[in-house]
Amino acid sequence: AAPRQLVGHDEQVPIAGAAFINDQDIVSVSIDQTLRLWRAEANYRPQTIDLGEQIAAALYVSAASNRALILTYNRQLRQYQAQVRNTDDGTLVTNPIEHQSLIWVAGISPNGQVVATCSGAQSIVRLNNASDGSSIADIAMHAPKVSARCVAFSADSSMLAIGHSDGFVGIYDTATGAIIGQARHSRRITSIAFDQTNSRLLTGSQDQTARLWQLDRKTAHFELREIGILMGHKGPVEHVSFNATGELAVTTTNATDG
């Protein structure tokens, strides 16, 4: 079928994010300060939700829970928010989670119950309840002058992986924020992903490798056992991902090797 162009956002400014919320319907956010819901049953005529004085910076979707996490900002008002919205109608699920500066690392759990955020003004990753905004835990970095660079939730939403600027990888319990596993690269972690069985982790780094880890369950923690190294990249590994079955993995870099 020929591709279809969906028109509705202000064409003069960038789209901050777009994603499927089911097999057909789409949610998108833009710097034009709107969220739009595109429904197949409405022939993709958009439902527009005004974000007020907030500019959208990023979008993360938890399709299973009909929830989306939207990162927004208003530099004049010095407001930096993580908004959890219902993808059925675009309404706020709870009051926005406020930060003191731009949020640059974030994610929402697959079950839509936990939000992870980290802003430039903080050396902690905040875990919040997505339903009421209450704090679950503040996860401090493992060493001074270290920052979070990426996060990923496990498929069952019980674990959060955080990639650090010094190559450290931490696995944390989303119910408590306690660290339950760790691994390491030699340089900054750039991307991270769990497989659908919650038993393997794939990490990408500025050290030009992607590494595959087996999560071996111990009494109260996991031992991360390296079971593969994907080499041959000509630059930092910018993105890693498993396919739905976990049998295949894809890695990308911005270097000339593609």
Side-chain angles (χ1 to χ4, degrees):
R4 179 172 180 177
Q5 184 177 8
L6 303 182
V7 178
H9 284 292
D10 184 344
E11 297 181 2
Q12 303 302 312
V13 296
I15 302 293
F20 281 99
I21 53 181
N22 52 43
D23 288 339
Q24 294 182 308
D25 300 333
I26 297 167
V27 60
S28 62
V29 293
S30 169
I31 293 178
D32 67 9
Q33 299 174 293
T34 66
L35 175 151
R36 296 179 193 246
L37 297 170
W38 313 79
R39 304 290 185 190
E41 64 182 16
N43 198 29
Y44 292 106
R45 290 188 300 273
Q47 175 188 352
T48 302
I49 293 88
D50 189 354
L51 297 178
E53 297 178 317
Q54 295 294 309
I55 296 172
L59 169 72
Y60 306 86
V61 170
S62 171
S65 67
N66 297 332
R67 288 180 176 179
L69 172 64
I70 304 167
L71 306 185
T72 69
Y73 67 93
N74 183 318
R75 286 197 172 97
Q76 277 190 317
L77 299 178
R78 295 186 178 181
Q79 291 180 338
Y80 306 91
Q81 298 180 347
Q83 300 184 6
V84 180
R85 289 184 176 265
N86 190 316
T87 55
D88 288 332
D89 55 15
T91 55
L92 282 167
V93 174
T94 185
N95 290 332
I97 300 165
E98 302 280 354
H99 279 255
Q100 298 302 309
S101 62
L102 193 67
I103 303 166
W104 58 324
V105 174
I108 184 168
S109 61
N111 65 6
Q113 296 301 309
V114 182
V115 168
T117 54
C118 183
S119 65
Q122 297 177 311
S123 58
I124 60 172
V125 173
R126 295 167 56 183
L127 292 183
N128 289 83
N129 185 306
S131 296
D132 61 17
S134 61
S135 176
I136 297 172
D138 289 343
I139 301 174
M141 299 300 95
H142 73 101
K145 299 182 180 180
V146 171
S147 60
R149 309 305 298 184
C150 53
V151 297
F153 284 94
S154 59
D156 66 359
S157 303
S158 69
M159 295 179 286
L160 176 73
I162 303 176
H164 296 66
S165 57
D166 65 345
F168 181 82
V169 178
I171 309 294
Y172 301 86
D173 186 329
T174 56
T176 64
I179 188 166
I180 54 176
Q182 57 185 279
R184 178 172 284 282
H185 280 253
S186 61
R187 297 186 65 187
R188 175 185 299 174
I189 305 300
T190 52
S191 183
I192 199 161
F194 285 94
D195 73 356
Q196 290 299 306
T197 69
N198 312 300
S199 63
R200 292 180 300 165
L201 187 73
L202 187 61
T203 54
S205 169
Q206 282 192 335
D207 66 11
Q208 301 186 21
T209 71
R211 296 174 187 256
L212 183 63
W213 309 87
Q214 182 72 41
L215 277 65
D216 293 332
R217 167 73 77 173
K218 304 299 179 182
T219 303
H221 69 283
F222 289 93
E223 179 181 309
L224 272 67
R225 176 168 50 88
E226 187 179 283
I227 57 175
I229 304 177
L230 306 180
M231 304 177 69
H233 304 90
K234 297 178 181 177
V237 178
E238 301 292 346
H239 180 77
V240 299
S241 180
F242 288 100
N243 72 342
T245 65
E247 295 178 353
L248 299 175
V250 63
T251 65
T252 67
T253 175
N254 288 331
T256 55
D257 71 334

